[in-house]
Amino acid sequence: MSGPDAEVVEVTGVVRLGQFLKLAGAVDTGGQAREALVAGDVTVNGEPEERRGRQLADGDVVGLGGGTWTVRVTG
């Protein structure tokens, strides 16, 4: 599902959406992640997502502000 422009971000174990947005560099702080989620600016696999605590799985594609990141779970 990842497109040619999606950056792959490797994570170890369980990662939640708010954490992932910071790891990917999409936002700088948890507050910015919360604001983006509440505004409806974040998508997971093409669908709008508002839950900061959503657990992401290997291969999920997260979008925000024209950027896309693919989750790659290692370990």
Side-chain angles (χ1 to χ4, degrees), residues 19-41:
Q19 295 170 319
F20 183 80
L21 290 171
K22 291 189 291 183
L23 288 170
V27 298
D28 293 325
T29 67
Q32 289 176 339
R34 182 175 53 249
E35 289 175 11
L37 288 159
V38 169
D41 295 336

Side-chain angles (χ1 to χ4, degrees), residues 15-57:
V15 65
R16 298 191 187 282
L17 182 55
Q19 295 170 319
F20 183 80
L21 290 171
K22 291 189 291 183
L23 288 170
V27 298
D28 293 325
T29 67
Q32 289 176 339
R34 182 175 53 249
E35 289 175 11
L37 288 159
V38 169
D41 295 336
V42 178
T43 61
V44 176
N45 300 327
E47 298 294 323
E49 182 58 72
E50 295 180 356
R51 298 173 294 164
R52 183 170 52 166
R54 175 180 172 160
Q55 289 186 6
L56 298 174

Side-chain angles (χ1 to χ4, degrees), residues 5 9 13-14 20 25 30-31 40 42 45 60 65 69 73 75:
D5 297 332
V9 178
V14 175
F20 183 80
V42 178
N45 300 327
D60 281 347
W69 299 267
V73 178

